[in-house]
Coordinates of all heavy atoms in Angstrom, one line a residue:
M1 N 95.0 -10.2 -44.9 CA 96.2 -9.5 -45.0 C 96.0 -8.0 -45.3 O 95.1 -7.7 -46.0 CB 97.0 -10.1 -46.2 CG 98.4 -9.4 -46.4 SD 99.3 -10.0 -47.9 CE 99.3 -11.7 -47.6
N2 N 96.8 -7.2 -44.7 CA 96.7 -5.7 -44.8 C 98.0 -5.2 -45.4 O 99.0 -5.5 -44.9 CB 96.4 -5.0 -43.5 CG 95.0 -5.4 -42.9 OD1 94.1 -5.6 -43.7 ND2 95.0 -5.5 -41.6
L3 N 97.8 -4.3 -46.4 CA 99.0 -3.6 -47.0 C 98.8 -2.1 -46.7 O 97.7 -1.6 -47.2 CB 99.2 -3.9 -48.4 CG 99.5 -5.3 -48.8 CD1 99.5 -5.5 -50.3 CD2 100.8 -5.8 -48.2
T4 N 99.7 -1.4 -46.1 CA 99.6 0.0 -45.8 C 100.6 0.8 -46.7 O 101.6 0.2 -47.2 CB 99.8 0.3 -44.4 OG1 101.1 -0.1 -44.0 CG2 98.7 -0.4 -43.5
G5 N 100.3 2.1 -46.9 CA 101.1 2.9 -47.7 C 100.8 2.8 -49.1 O 99.8 2.2 -49.5
D6 N 101.6 3.4 -50.0 CA 101.4 3.4 -51.4 C 102.1 2.2 -52.0 O 103.3 2.1 -51.9 CB 102.0 4.7 -52.1 CG 101.2 5.9 -51.6 OD1 99.9 5.8 -51.4 OD2 101.8 7.0 -51.6
C7 N 101.3 1.3 -52.6 CA 101.9 0.1 -53.3 C 101.9 0.3 -54.8 O 101.1 1.1 -55.3 CB 101.0 -1.1 -52.9 SG 100.9 -1.4 -51.1
G8 N 102.7 -0.5 -55.4 CA 102.7 -0.5 -56.9 C 101.5 -1.4 -57.4 O 100.5 -1.4 -56.7
V9 N 101.7 -2.1 -58.5 CA 100.6 -3.0 -58.9 C 100.7 -4.2 -58.1 O 101.7 -4.9 -58.0 CB 100.8 -3.3 -60.4 CG1 99.8 -4.3 -60.9 CG2 100.8 -2.0 -61.3
I10 N 99.5 -4.6 -57.6 CA 99.4 -5.8 -56.8 C 98.8 -6.9 -57.6 O 97.7 -6.7 -58.2 CB 98.5 -5.5 -55.5 CG1 99.2 -4.5 -54.6 CG2 98.3 -6.8 -54.7 CD1 98.4 -4.0 -53.5
T11 N 99.4 -8.0 -57.7 CA 99.0 -9.1 -58.5 C 98.6 -10.3 -57.6 O 99.5 -10.8 -56.9 CB 100.0 -9.6 -59.6 OG1 100.3 -8.4 -60.4 CG2 99.5 -10.7 -60.5
L12 N 97.4 -10.8 -57.7 CA 97.0 -12.0 -57.0 C 96.9 -13.2 -57.9 O 96.3 -13.1 -59.0 CB 95.6 -11.8 -56.4 CG 95.5 -10.8 -55.2 CD1 95.3 -9.4 -55.8 CD2 94.3 -11.1 -54.3
S13 N 97.6 -14.2 -57.5 CA 97.5 -15.4 -58.4 C 97.0 -16.6 -57.6 O 96.9 -17.7 -58.1 CB 98.9 -15.7 -59.0 OG 99.8 -15.9 -58.0
G14 N 96.7 -16.4 -56.3 CA 96.2 -17.5 -55.5 C 94.7 -17.5 -55.4 O 94.0 -16.7 -56.1
E15 N 94.1 -18.3 -54.5 CA 92.7 -18.3 -54.4 C 92.3 -18.2 -52.9 O 93.1 -18.7 -52.0 CB 92.2 -19.6 -55.0 CG 92.4 -19.7 -56.5 CD 92.0 -21.0 -57.1 OE1 91.7 -22.0 -56.4 OE2 92.1 -21.1 -58.3
G16 N 91.2 -17.6 -52.6 CA 90.7 -17.5 -51.2 C 91.4 -16.4 -50.5 O 91.5 -16.4 -49.3
I17 N 92.0 -15.4 -51.2 CA 92.8 -14.3 -50.6 C 91.8 -13.2 -50.1 O 90.9 -12.8 -50.9 CB 93.8 -13.8 -51.5 CG1 94.8 -14.9 -51.9 CG2 94.5 -12.5 -51.0 CD1 95.7 -14.5 -53.1
V18 N 92.0 -12.7 -48.9 CA 91.3 -11.6 -48.4 C 92.4 -10.5 -48.1 O 93.3 -10.7 -47.3 CB 90.5 -11.9 -47.1 CG1 89.9 -10.6 -46.6 CG2 89.5 -12.9 -47.4
L19 N 92.3 -9.4 -48.9 CA 93.3 -8.4 -48.9 C 92.7 -7.0 -48.7 O 91.8 -6.6 -49.4 CB 94.1 -8.4 -50.2 CG 95.3 -7.4 -50.4 CD1 96.4 -7.6 -49.3 CD2 95.8 -7.6 -51.8
E20 N 93.3 -6.2 -47.7 CA 92.9 -4.8 -47.6 C 94.1 -4.0 -47.9 O 95.2 -4.2 -47.4 CB 92.4 -4.5 -46.2 CG 91.1 -5.2 -45.8 CD 90.6 -4.8 -44.5 OE1 91.0 -3.7 -43.9 OE2 89.8 -5.6 -43.9
V21 N 94.0 -3.1 -48.9 CA 95.1 -2.3 -49.4 C 94.8 -0.8 -49.2 O 93.7 -0.3 -49.5 CB 95.3 -2.5 -50.9 CG1 96.4 -1.7 -51.4 CG2 95.5 -4.0 -51.2
E22 N 95.7 0.0 -48.6 CA 95.5 1.4 -48.4 C 95.5 2.1 -49.8 O 94.5 2.9 -50.1 CB 96.6 2.0 -47.5 CG 96.4 3.4 -47.1 CD 97.4 3.9 -46.1 OE1 98.1 3.1 -45.5 OE2 97.5 5.1 -45.9
S23 N 96.5 1.9 -50.6 CA 96.6 2.6 -51.9 C 97.4 1.7 -52.8 O 98.5 1.3 -52.4 CB 97.2 4.0 -51.7 OG 97.4 4.6 -52.9
A24 N 97.0 1.6 -54.1 CA 97.7 0.8 -55.0 C 97.7 1.4 -56.4 O 96.7 2.0 -56.8 CB 97.2 -0.6 -55.1
K25 N 98.7 1.3 -57.1 CA 98.8 1.7 -58.5 C 97.8 0.9 -59.3 O 97.1 1.4 -60.2 CB 100.2 1.5 -59.1 CG 100.3 2.0 -60.5 CD 101.3 3.1 -60.6 CE 101.5 3.4 -62.1 NZ 101.2 4.8 -62.3
G26 N 97.7 -0.4 -59.0 CA 96.7 -1.2 -59.7 C 96.5 -2.5 -59.0 O 97.3 -3.0 -58.2
I27 N 95.3 -3.1 -59.2 CA 94.9 -4.4 -58.7 C 94.8 -5.4 -59.9 O 93.9 -5.1 -60.8 CB 93.6 -4.4 -57.9 CG1 93.7 -3.3 -56.8 CG2 93.3 -5.8 -57.3 CD1 94.6 -3.6 -55.6
V28 N 95.5 -6.5 -59.9 CA 95.4 -7.5 -61.0 C 95.1 -8.8 -60.3 O 95.9 -9.2 -59.5 CB 96.7 -7.5 -61.8 CG1 96.6 -8.6 -62.9 CG2 97.0 -6.2 -62.5
D29 N 94.0 -9.4 -60.7 CA 93.7 -10.7 -60.1 C 93.7 -11.7 -61.3 O 92.9 -11.7 -62.2 CB 92.3 -10.6 -59.5 CG 91.9 -11.9 -58.8 OD1 92.3 -13.0 -59.2 OD2 91.2 -11.8 -57.8
K30 N 94.6 -12.7 -61.2 CA 94.8 -13.8 -62.2 C 94.5 -15.1 -61.5 O 95.2 -16.1 -61.8 CB 96.2 -13.8 -62.7 CG 96.7 -12.5 -63.4 CD 98.1 -12.7 -63.9 CE 98.6 -11.5 -64.6 NZ 100.0 -11.6 -65.1
S31 N 93.5 -15.2 -60.7 CA 93.3 -16.3 -59.8 C 92.7 -17.6 -60.5 O 92.7 -18.6 -59.9 CB 92.3 -15.9 -58.7 OG 91.1 -15.4 -59.1
G32 N 92.2 -17.5 -61.7 CA 91.7 -18.6 -62.4 C 90.2 -18.9 -62.1 O 89.5 -18.0 -61.6
K33 N 89.7 -20.0 -62.5 CA 88.3 -20.3 -62.5 C 87.7 -20.4 -61.1 O 86.5 -20.2 -60.9 CB 88.0 -21.7 -63.2 CG 88.3 -21.6 -64.7 CD 87.3 -20.7 -65.3 CE 87.6 -20.6 -66.8 NZ 86.8 -19.6 -67.5
S34 N 88.4 -20.7 -60.0 CA 87.8 -20.8 -58.7 C 88.4 -19.8 -57.8 O 88.8 -20.1 -56.6 CB 87.9 -22.2 -58.2 OG 89.3 -22.6 -58.1
G35 N 88.6 -18.5 -58.2 CA 89.3 -17.5 -57.5 C 88.8 -17.2 -56.1 O 89.4 -17.5 -55.1
K36 N 87.6 -16.6 -56.0 CA 86.9 -16.2 -54.8 C 87.8 -15.4 -53.8 O 87.9 -15.6 -52.6 CB 86.4 -17.4 -54.1 CG 85.2 -18.0 -54.9 CD 84.5 -19.1 -54.1 CE 83.4 -19.7 -54.9 NZ 83.7 -20.4 -56.1
N37 N 88.6 -14.4 -54.4 CA 89.4 -13.5 -53.6 C 88.5 -12.2 -53.3 O 87.6 -11.9 -54.1 CB 90.6 -13.0 -54.4 CG 91.5 -14.2 -54.7 OD1 91.8 -15.0 -53.8 ND2 92.1 -14.2 -55.9
T38 N 88.8 -11.6 -52.2 CA 88.2 -10.3 -51.8 C 89.3 -9.3 -51.6 O 90.2 -9.5 -50.8 CB 87.4 -10.5 -50.6 OG1 86.4 -11.5 -50.8 CG2 86.7 -9.2 -50.2
V39 N 89.2 -8.2 -52.4 CA 90.2 -7.1 -52.2 C 89.4 -5.8 -52.0 O 88.4 -5.5 -52.7 CB 91.0 -6.9 -53.5 CG1 92.0 -5.7 -53.3 CG2 91.7 -8.2 -53.8
T40 N 89.8 -5.0 -50.9 CA 89.3 -3.7 -50.6 C 90.4 -2.7 -50.6 O 91.4 -3.0 -50.0 CB 88.6 -3.8 -49.2 OG1 87.6 -4.8 -49.2 CG2 87.9 -2.5 -48.9
T41 N 90.2 -1.6 -51.3 CA 91.2 -0.6 -51.3 C 90.6 0.8 -51.2 O 89.4 1.0 -51.7 CB 92.1 -0.7 -52.5 OG1 93.1 0.3 -52.5 CG2 91.3 -0.5 -53.8
S42 N 91.3 1.8 -50.6 CA 90.8 3.1 -50.6 C 91.0 3.7 -52.0 O 90.1 4.4 -52.6 CB 91.6 4.0 -49.6 OG 91.3 3.5 -48.3
T43 N 92.2 3.5 -52.5 CA 92.6 4.2 -53.8 C 93.3 3.2 -54.7 O 94.2 2.5 -54.2 CB 93.6 5.4 -53.5 OG1 92.9 6.3 -52.6 CG2 93.9 6.1 -54.8
A44 N 93.0 3.1 -56.0 CA 93.7 2.4 -57.0 C 93.5 3.1 -58.3 O 92.5 3.7 -58.5 CB 93.1 0.9 -57.1
E45 N 94.5 3.0 -59.1 CA 94.4 3.7 -60.5 C 93.7 2.8 -61.4 O 92.9 3.2 -62.3 CB 95.8 4.0 -61.0 CG 96.5 5.1 -60.3 CD 97.8 5.5 -60.8 OE1 98.0 5.3 -62.1 OE2 98.6 6.0 -60.1
S46 N 93.8 1.4 -61.3 CA 93.2 0.5 -62.2 C 92.9 -0.8 -61.5 O 93.5 -1.2 -60.5 CB 94.1 0.2 -63.4 OG 95.3 -0.4 -63.0
V47 N 91.9 -1.5 -62.1 CA 91.5 -2.8 -61.6 C 91.3 -3.7 -62.8 O 90.5 -3.4 -63.7 CB 90.2 -2.8 -60.7 CG1 89.6 -4.1 -60.4 CG2 90.4 -2.0 -59.5
W48 N 91.9 -4.9 -62.8 CA 91.8 -5.9 -63.8 C 91.6 -7.3 -63.2 O 92.5 -7.7 -62.4 CB 93.0 -5.9 -64.7 CG 92.9 -6.7 -66.0 CD1 92.2 -6.4 -67.1 CD2 93.4 -8.1 -66.1 NE1 92.3 -7.5 -68.0 CE2 93.1 -8.5 -67.4 CE3 94.1 -8.9 -65.3 CZ2 93.4 -9.7 -67.9 CZ3 94.5 -10.2 -65.8 CH2 94.1 -10.6 -67.1
V49 N 90.5 -8.0 -63.5 CA 90.2 -9.3 -62.9 C 90.0 -10.3 -64.0 O 89.1 -10.1 -64.8 CB 89.0 -9.2 -62.0 CG1 88.7 -10.5 -61.3 CG2 89.2 -8.1 -60.9
A50 N 90.8 -11.4 -63.9 CA 90.6 -12.5 -64.9 C 90.0 -13.7 -64.3 O 89.5 -14.6 -65.0 CB 92.0 -12.9 -65.5
G51 N 90.0 -13.9 -63.0 CA 89.5 -15.0 -62.4 C 87.9 -15.0 -62.3 O 87.3 -14.1 -62.8
D52 N 87.4 -16.0 -61.6 CA 85.9 -16.1 -61.5 C 85.6 -16.0 -60.0 O 86.3 -16.5 -59.1 CB 85.4 -17.4 -62.0 CG 85.6 -17.6 -63.5 OD1 85.7 -16.6 -64.2 OD2 85.5 -18.7 -64.0
G53 N 84.4 -15.3 -59.7 CA 83.9 -15.2 -58.4 C 84.6 -14.4 -57.4 O 84.6 -14.6 -56.2
N54 N 85.3 -13.3 -57.9 CA 86.1 -12.4 -57.1 C 85.3 -11.1 -56.8 O 84.5 -10.7 -57.5 CB 87.4 -12.1 -57.8 CG 88.2 -13.3 -58.0 OD1 88.7 -13.9 -57.1 ND2 88.3 -13.7 -59.3
T55 N 85.7 -10.5 -55.7 CA 85.1 -9.2 -55.3 C 86.2 -8.2 -55.1 O 87.2 -8.5 -54.4 CB 84.3 -9.3 -54.0 OG1 83.3 -10.3 -54.2 CG2 83.7 -8.0 -53.6
V56 N 86.1 -7.0 -55.8 CA 87.1 -6.0 -55.6 C 86.3 -4.7 -55.4 O 85.4 -4.3 -56.2 CB 88.0 -5.8 -56.9 CG1 89.0 -4.6 -56.6 CG2 88.8 -7.0 -57.2
M57 N 86.6 -4.0 -54.3 CA 85.9 -2.8 -53.9 C 86.9 -1.6 -53.7 O 88.0 -1.9 -53.1 CB 85.1 -3.0 -52.6 CG 84.0 -4.1 -52.7 SD 83.4 -4.6 -51.1 CE 84.7 -5.6 -50.5
W58 N 86.6 -0.4 -54.2 CA 87.4 0.7 -54.0 C 86.6 1.9 -53.6 O 85.4 1.9 -53.9 CB 88.2 1.0 -55.3 CG 87.4 1.2 -56.5 CD1 87.0 2.4 -57.0 CD2 86.9 0.3 -57.4 NE1 86.2 2.3 -58.1 CE2 86.1 0.9 -58.4 CE3 87.0 -1.1 -57.4 CZ2 85.5 0.3 -59.4 CZ3 86.3 -1.8 -58.5 CH2 85.6 -1.1 -59.4
E59 N 87.2 2.9 -52.9 CA 86.5 4.0 -52.4 C 86.5 5.3 -53.2 O 85.6 6.1 -53.2 CB 87.0 4.4 -51.0 CG 86.7 3.2 -50.0 CD 87.3 3.5 -48.6 OE1 87.8 4.6 -48.4 OE2 87.2 2.6 -47.8
K60 N 87.7 5.5 -53.9 CA 87.8 6.7 -54.7 C 87.9 6.3 -56.2 O 88.2 5.2 -56.6 CB 89.1 7.4 -54.3 CG 89.1 7.9 -52.9 CD 90.4 8.6 -52.5 CE 90.3 9.0 -51.0 NZ 91.6 9.6 -50.6
P61 N 87.4 7.2 -57.1 CA 87.4 6.9 -58.5 C 88.7 6.4 -59.1 O 89.8 6.9 -58.7 CB 87.0 8.2 -59.2 CG 86.3 9.0 -58.1 CD 87.0 8.6 -56.8
L62 N 88.6 5.4 -60.0 CA 89.8 4.9 -60.7 C 90.2 5.8 -61.8 O 89.4 6.6 -62.3 CB 89.4 3.5 -61.3 CG 88.9 2.4 -60.3 CD1 88.5 1.2 -61.1 CD2 90.0 2.0 -59.3
S63 N 91.4 5.7 -62.3 CA 91.9 6.5 -63.4 C 91.4 5.9 -64.7 O 91.3 6.6 -65.7 CB 93.4 6.5 -63.5 OG 93.9 7.2 -62.3
T64 N 91.1 4.6 -64.8 CA 90.6 3.9 -65.9 C 89.4 3.1 -65.5 O 89.2 2.8 -64.4 CB 91.7 3.0 -66.6 OG1 92.0 2.0 -65.6 CG2 92.9 3.7 -67.0
L65 N 88.6 2.6 -66.5 CA 87.5 1.8 -66.2 C 87.9 0.4 -65.7 O 88.9 -0.1 -66.3 CB 86.6 1.6 -67.4 CG 85.8 2.9 -67.9 CD1 85.1 2.6 -69.2 CD2 84.9 3.3 -66.8
P66 N 87.3 -0.2 -64.7 CA 87.7 -1.5 -64.3 C 87.4 -2.5 -65.4 O 86.4 -2.4 -66.2 CB 86.8 -1.8 -63.1 CG 85.6 -0.9 -63.3 CD 86.1 0.3 -64.0
E67 N 88.2 -3.6 -65.5 CA 88.0 -4.6 -66.5 C 87.9 -6.0 -65.9 O 88.6 -6.3 -64.9 CB 89.2 -4.6 -67.4 CG 89.4 -3.4 -68.3 CD 90.6 -3.5 -69.2 OE1 90.6 -4.4 -70.0 OE2 91.5 -2.7 -69.0
T68 N 87.1 -6.8 -66.4 CA 87.0 -8.2 -66.0 C 86.8 -9.1 -67.2 O 86.0 -8.8 -68.1 CB 85.9 -8.5 -65.0 OG1 86.0 -9.8 -64.6 CG2 84.5 -8.1 -65.5
V69 N 87.6 -10.2 -67.3 CA 87.4 -11.2 -68.4 C 87.0 -12.5 -67.7 O 86.8 -13.5 -68.4 CB 88.7 -11.4 -69.2 CG1 89.0 -10.1 -70.0 CG2 89.9 -11.7 -68.3
G70 N 86.7 -12.5 -66.5 CA 86.2 -13.7 -65.8 C 84.7 -13.6 -65.7 O 84.1 -12.7 -66.3
S71 N 84.1 -14.5 -64.9 CA 82.7 -14.4 -64.7 C 82.3 -14.4 -63.2 O 83.1 -14.8 -62.4 CB 82.0 -15.6 -65.4 OG 82.4 -16.8 -64.7
A72 N 81.1 -13.9 -62.9 CA 80.6 -13.8 -61.6 C 81.5 -13.0 -60.7 O 81.6 -13.2 -59.5 CB 80.4 -15.2 -61.0
N73 N 82.2 -12.0 -61.2 CA 83.0 -11.1 -60.4 C 82.2 -9.9 -60.0 O 81.3 -9.4 -60.8 CB 84.2 -10.6 -61.2 CG 85.2 -11.7 -61.4 OD1 85.6 -12.4 -60.5 ND2 85.6 -11.9 -62.7
T74 N 82.5 -9.3 -58.9 CA 81.8 -8.1 -58.4 C 82.9 -7.0 -58.3 O 83.8 -7.1 -57.4 CB 81.1 -8.3 -57.0 OG1 80.2 -9.4 -57.1 CG2 80.4 -7.1 -56.6
L75 N 82.7 -6.0 -59.1 CA 83.7 -4.8 -59.1 C 82.8 -3.6 -58.7 O 82.0 -3.2 -59.4 CB 84.3 -4.6 -60.4 CG 85.0 -5.8 -61.0 CD1 85.6 -5.5 -62.4 CD2 86.1 -6.4 -60.1
T76 N 83.2 -3.0 -57.5 CA 82.3 -2.0 -56.9 C 83.1 -0.8 -56.5 O 84.1 -0.9 -55.8 CB 81.6 -2.5 -55.7 OG1 80.9 -3.7 -56.0 CG2 80.6 -1.5 -55.2
G77 N 82.7 0.4 -56.9 CA 83.3 1.7 -56.5 C 82.9 2.8 -57.5 O 82.4 2.5 -58.5
P78 N 83.2 4.0 -57.1 CA 82.9 5.1 -58.0 C 83.8 5.1 -59.3 O 84.9 4.7 -59.2 CB 83.2 6.4 -57.2 CG 84.2 5.9 -56.1 CD 83.9 4.5 -55.9
Q79 N 83.2 5.5 -60.4 CA 83.9 5.5 -61.7 C 84.6 6.8 -61.9 O 84.1 7.8 -61.8 CB 83.0 5.1 -62.8 CG 82.3 3.8 -62.7 CD 83.2 2.6 -62.7 OE1 84.1 2.6 -63.5 NE2 83.0 1.6 -61.9

């Protein structure tokens, strides 16, 4: 799925989601123990991941440090 333009906070609560976002105020992943979501964005102010096995990538520095309370998550991008 692709989202273009400036988005607000995007919340994922499903599993197996592949999402490309142009710009978002925030990315929140609440996918649970078997998340395995992949999110790519050019710009986001914040990233918070609670599920397990998710990947979130961003291209421009975030306004805050990325957070994860899950396990085996990959959060990648400039700080």
